[in-house]
Amino acid sequence: MTKRNKIHQPPAVTVDIVIFTIENKELRVLLIKRANEPFKGEAALPGGFLARGETTQRAALRILKDKAGVGDVYVEQLYTFDNPGRDPRGQVLTVTYFALIPREQIKFEKGEKAQSPEFYSVKKLPNLAFDHGKIVEYAIGRLRAKIEYTNAAYSLLSEEFVFAELQRVYEAVLGRKLDKRNFRKKFMSLGLIKSTGKKLRGARQRPAELYRFISRKPIELIKFF
Amino acid sequence: MTKRNKIHQPPAVTVDIVIFTIENKELRVLLIKRANEPFKGEAALPGGFLARGETTQRAALRILKDKAGVGDVYVEQLYTFDNPGRDPRGQVLTVTYFALIPREQIKFEKGEKAQSPEFYSVKKLPNLAFDHGKIVEYAIGRLRAKIEYTNAAYSLLSEEFVFAELQRVYEAVLGRKLDKRNFRKKFMSLGLIKSTGKKLRGARQRPAELYRFISRKPIELIKFF
DNA sequence: CCAAAAGTGTTGACTGTACACCCATGT
DNA sequence: ACATGGGTGTACAGTCAACACTTTTGG
């Protein structure tokens, strides 16, 4: 560190979160309507200023709780944006995170109704405030990469799930159909999930086996060169 | 963004850079001796506070220029660290970058002599100030991943190079020997480099062909699922 | 018995890996 | 002529992609 302390006036710091879920076989992002200027009324990522002494990670969890009412989910830092002009109010540095949530776990808080939080399909996003469009795009790229070499999918599913649901998660994230047999074979060989022995009955079809992730903590698969 | 403006007191923002090079077949990191408290005299990453109105990317380039005297190199944002307690002076948020530089391009500035900048092999790093040890570790992981699906290696080599040098870059970064024939075959098939037609003469052995990267701008290779 | 989704194997193409010898030069 | 690193091909194993039919249930 140099002697720049004198002329150091730190930028404002905010945290924005890209909250993903799968709904109706589509990858969706949580957006709110901005209650205040700038960009009042436009769609934006949930976020907020850092509270005094708060870490960005804590702020991300707080916002997640406030806007979506969820706790124990996959959260990961994405990137830090501070291009000049990204916020008309001046220099703002935003640390972005992304989170993965199973749709049925989300309960919007009453207090947030005014901002009408809503999940938008990534295939038809509205115009977003600030540079949030770029942020979402970046997040999608990261998610696509992550889901191929981690167990992150657990965070988009409920604890017990059926193989078809798992495949739908991958298809929604990657944006294309996958072959049922190849997908099952490959995924099984990764050793990330185990059968519960239970079956899902009640549909008018052959009952499907229920699986669960062996670990619901982030795991990276080893890669070889 | 919520109504947290009132209690928003932004943390100090610094930028640290992990500057990599290849020297003597080893991956090395540039470290300086801290001139001031805290951690005075200990080895640390070059870095500094953000100047007023400066973006973190600009700050990274400025520090790169100041400490290593280089301009046109591969620079990429790494991660943002703000764990409590990482800096004894209080809440400090650090945006980290990593840079790749060919060793022969570096000229240390006289003004920086006091801090005795020096390249340390990643295999025998001293204890580092702050959480810089963790940062370097993280950077190595990122570099290893990047070099496998981008053309980032161009930034660790001079414009024209011989196949053996390219291979040494990969071996140093990945930390293991690679098979000469397989490496050549694979790398050639990527289409990132082209022969210059020239040969490197003067050694007492068969002259080696000189190659150059077709593009010296970052390129990502397409991956398939 | 019909509709619906579940479950299951084989083949061919491709990719990665292991491995050893001759070549062109400088001294 | 010899020491040095440069340059090259083949065979085997593992992985990926394409592809269609039978099973089990609820209605």
Side-chain angles (χ1 to χ4, degrees):
Chain A
M1 316 217 179
T2 59
K3 333 176 176 58
R4 295 197 169 259
N5 288 285
K6 295 185 193 70
I7 59 166
H8 179 55
Q9 186 214 33
V13 176
T14 66
V15 173
D16 289 332
I17 314 192
V18 185
I19 303 173
F20 287 112
T21 200
I22 308 286
E23 189 178 19
N24 195 22
K25 300 189 188 184
E26 284 182 317
L27 181 63
R28 290 168 183 256
V29 182
L30 185 64
L31 299 176
I32 58 169
K33 291 256 183 285
R34 282 186 58 76
N36 307 304
E37 294 296 346
F39 298 104
K40 184 169 176 173
E42 286 194 36
L45 293 171
F49 286 92
L50 210 56
R52 179 193 292 267
E54 189 180 43
T55 66
T56 55
Q57 163 105 17
R58 278 238 153 271
L61 295 174
R62 167 173 59 77
I63 293 159
L64 210 43
K65 194 91 175 181
D66 288 359
K67 307 282 170 165
V70 289
D72 176 33
V73 295
Y74 190 98
V75 178
E76 173 180 316
Q77 194 191 105
L78 200 57
Y79 198 80
T80 296
F81 293 85
D82 71 337
N83 309 17
R86 56 182 301 278
D87 190 317
R89 289 167 295 187
Q91 194 187 6
V92 177
L93 181 151
T94 297
V95 183
T96 58
Y97 284 79
F98 81 89
L100 306 177
I101 308 189
R103 181 62 186 89
E104 67 274 15
Q105 206 179 109
I106 296 165
K107 349 171 221 320
F108 294 123
E109 300 290 315
K110 12 328 32 315
E112 300 296 340
K113 285 272 169 56
Q115 299 189 304
S116 55
E118 209 178 316
F119 280 101
Y120 292 77
S121 164
V122 299
K123 284 184 191 155
K124 21 188 187 252
L125 288 177
N127 278 334
L128 299 191
F130 305 104
D131 53 358
H132 289 186
K134 249 178 54 189
I135 295 173
V136 170
E137 217 175 305
Y138 188 84
I140 293 170
R142 177 78 68 91
L143 172 58
R144 286 197 173 136
K146 278 280 157 175
I147 207 169
E148 299 205 25
Y149 68 93
T150 71
N151 61 346
Y154 77 80
S155 201
L156 289 166
L157 290 162
S158 43
E159 295 226 350
E160 304 198 341
F161 55 90
V162 130
F163 227 103
E165 291 171 318
L166 181 62
Q167 183 170 345
R168 276 199 291 274
V169 166
Y170 276 80
E171 289 179 338
V173 169
L174 298 175
R176 62 200 163 86
K177 285 254 163 284
L178 299 173
D179 179 82
K180 192 163 52 145
R181 281 168 292 190
N182 293 338
F183 179 77
R184 178 184 287 258
K185 208 185 319 166
K186 178 170 179 176
F187 207 93
M188 278 305 190
S189 76
L190 299 180
L192 293 175
I193 58 174
K194 62 165 191 280
S195 167
T196 63
K198 290 182 268 184
K199 301 237 174 192
L200 181 64
R201 309 189 76 90
R204 71 172 194 295
Q205 71 221 215
R206 178 170 171 179
E209 183 135 27
L210 282 162
Y211 291 87
R212 55 191 319 151
F213 274 86
I214 291 167
S215 166
R216 288 178 64 85
K217 295 292 157 203
I219 290 179
E220 304 225 340
L221 305 175
I222 315 108
K223 302 289 277 284
F224 318 95
F225 183 57
Chain B
M1 316 217 178
T2 60
K3 333 176 177 59
R4 296 201 166 256
N5 288 285
K6 295 184 193 70
I7 59 166
H8 179 55
Q9 187 215 34
V13 176
T14 67
V15 172
D16 288 333
I17 315 191
V18 185
I19 302 173
F20 287 112
T21 200
I22 308 287
E23 190 178 18
N24 196 21
K25 301 189 187 184
E26 284 182 316
L27 181 62
R28 290 168 183 255
V29 182
L30 185 64
L31 299 175
I32 58 170
K33 291 258 182 287
R34 282 185 58 76
N36 307 304
E37 293 295 346
F39 298 104
K40 182 168 177 174
E42 286 193 35
L45 294 171
F49 285 92
L50 210 56
R52 178 193 291 268
E54 189 180 43
T55 65
T56 55
Q57 162 105 16
R58 277 239 154 271
L61 295 174
R62 167 173 59 77
I63 293 159
L64 210 44
K65 194 92 175 182
D66 287 359
K67 307 282 170 163
V70 288
D72 175 32
V73 293
Y74 190 98
V75 177
E76 173 179 315
Q77 195 192 104
L78 200 56
Y79 198 79
T80 297
F81 294 85
D82 71 337
N83 308 17
R86 56 182 301 278
D87 190 317
R89 289 166 297 187
Q91 194 187 7
V92 176
L93 182 151
T94 296
V95 183
T96 58
Y97 284 79
F98 81 89
L100 305 177
I101 309 190
R103 181 62 186 90
E104 66 274 15
Q105 205 179 108
I106 297 164
K107 347 172 223 319
F108 295 122
E109 301 289 316
K110 26 251 121 292
E112 301 296 341
K113 286 271 167 62
Q115 299 190 302
S116 55
E118 209 178 313
F119 279 102
Y120 292 78
S121 164
V122 298
K123 285 182 193 158
K124 19 186 188 252
L125 288 177
N127 278 334
L128 299 190
F130 305 103
D131 52 359
H132 288 186
K134 249 177 54 188
I135 294 174
V136 170
E137 216 175 307
Y138 187 85
I140 293 170
R142 177 79 69 91
L143 173 58
R144 286 196 174 138
K146 278 278 158 176
I147 208 170
E148 298 204 25
Y149 68 93
T150 70
N151 61 347
Y154 77 79
S155 202
L156 289 166
L157 290 163
S158 43
E159 295 226 349
E160 303 197 341
F161 54 90
V162 131
F163 228 103
E165 290 172 317
L166 181 63
Q167 183 169 345
R168 276 198 290 275
V169 166
Y170 275 80
E171 288 178 340
V173 169
L174 298 175
R176 61 199 163 88
K177 285 255 164 282
L178 299 173
D179 179 83
K180 192 162 53 147
R181 280 168 292 190
N182 293 338
F183 179 77
R184 179 184 286 258
K185 208 188 317 168
K186 177 171 179 175
F187 208 91
M188 278 305 189
S189 76
L190 299 179
L192 292 175
I193 58 174
K194 62 167 193 279
S195 168
T196 62
K198 290 183 267 184
K199 302 239 174 189
L200 181 65
R201 311 190 74 92
R204 71 171 190 296
Q205 71 221 213
R206 178 170 170 179
E209 181 134 29
L210 283 163
Y211 291 87
R212 57 190 321 152
F213 275 85
I214 292 168
S215 165
R216 289 179 63 85
K217 295 291 158 203
I219 290 179
E220 303 226 341
L221 304 174
I222 315 108
K223 302 290 277 286
F224 318 93
F225 181 56

